[in-house]
Amino acid sequence: MDVSDLLTETYDRLPDLVRAAVDGLTPEQLRWAPGPGANSIGWLVWHLTRVQDHHVADLLDAEQIWASGDWAGRFGLTPDPDDTGYGHSAEQVAAVHPESAQALIDYYAAVSARTGSFLAGLRPADLDRVVDEAWDPPVTLGVRLVSIAEDDQQHAGQANYVRGLLEAR
């Protein structure tokens, strides 16, 4: 298996996790949180999608999908490309209002498709390219791609856990 296939296999598992977390839920259920200050299912899936969109767009030196079309409007937000949810307060988490589960699924599908196209063209040597010198050691493309996948997997798992709590109430 080459590196492109390995990364594609990793990222191709995420759409099913996203769909399982949100499919069939109402907007109110997507905004439900298990306790004060906790993250909702909708916020978790929005956030994991925003992180992937933000980071992959940066790797491609391209505009984020979030900033094009009416994605932000479908979540009750502005198309601020810097807003990925990182460091959100409880009030900011509560302000993320997905219009539907389909809005989350559609946004993730658009981001996932672009990520998949990017991964398909990777060669092993590409992974050594430094993409962020703000860290010590500097972050390579390989490390960044693993970091994005790991973050998305964790948040998808959290969203599915919160769905389990919601359904058990």
Side-chain angles (χ1 to χ4, degrees):
M1 178 178 274
D2 72 16
V3 69
S4 175
D5 291 342
L6 181 64
L7 287 166
T8 297
E9 176 66 27
T10 299
Y11 279 84
D12 278 355
R13 294 172 183 229
L14 289 163
D16 288 341
L17 294 172
V18 165
R19 184 175 294 281
V22 303
D23 200 29
L25 296 181
T26 66
E28 294 75 26
Q29 290 171 316
L30 291 169
R31 290 192 301 271
W32 179 82
N39 297 328
S40 67
I41 298 165
W43 184 89
L44 287 161
V45 172
W46 169 82
H47 169 64
L48 74 86
T49 308
R50 286 292 302 122
V51 168
Q52 187 177 144
D53 188 11
H54 178 275
H55 288 5
V56 172
D58 185 56
L59 295 172
L60 293 168
D61 194 26
E63 182 178 45
Q64 294 173 36
I65 291 170
W66 180 252
S68 63
D70 188 33
W71 293 110
R74 294 181 72 184
F75 293 86
L77 300 169
T78 61
D80 178 357
D82 294 325
D83 185 9
T84 64
Y86 182 75
H88 265 189
S89 67
E91 292 78 24
Q92 290 169 306
V93 169
V96 176
H97 289 183
E99 69 183 18
S100 65
Q102 195 61 50
L104 289 157
I105 292 167
D106 291 348
Y107 178 42
Y108 188 80
V111 170
S112 178
R114 179 166 66 182
T115 300
S117 294
F118 175 64
L119 297 175
L122 287 180
R123 299 170 317 216
D126 295 333
L127 299 180
D128 294 328
R129 176 172 60 97
V130 172
V131 297
D132 189 348
E133 294 185 4
W135 299 91
D136 185 18
V139 176
T140 63
L141 176 60
V143 168
R144 177 61 46 89
L145 290 171
V146 168
S147 175
I148 296 166
E150 183 264 342
D151 186 71
D152 280 4
Q153 290 164 353
Q154 282 197 43
H155 289 309
Q158 292 165 352
N160 278 288
Y161 178 78
V162 174
R163 182 179 182 140
L165 295 175
L166 171 69
E167 291 172 345
R169 309 183 303 148

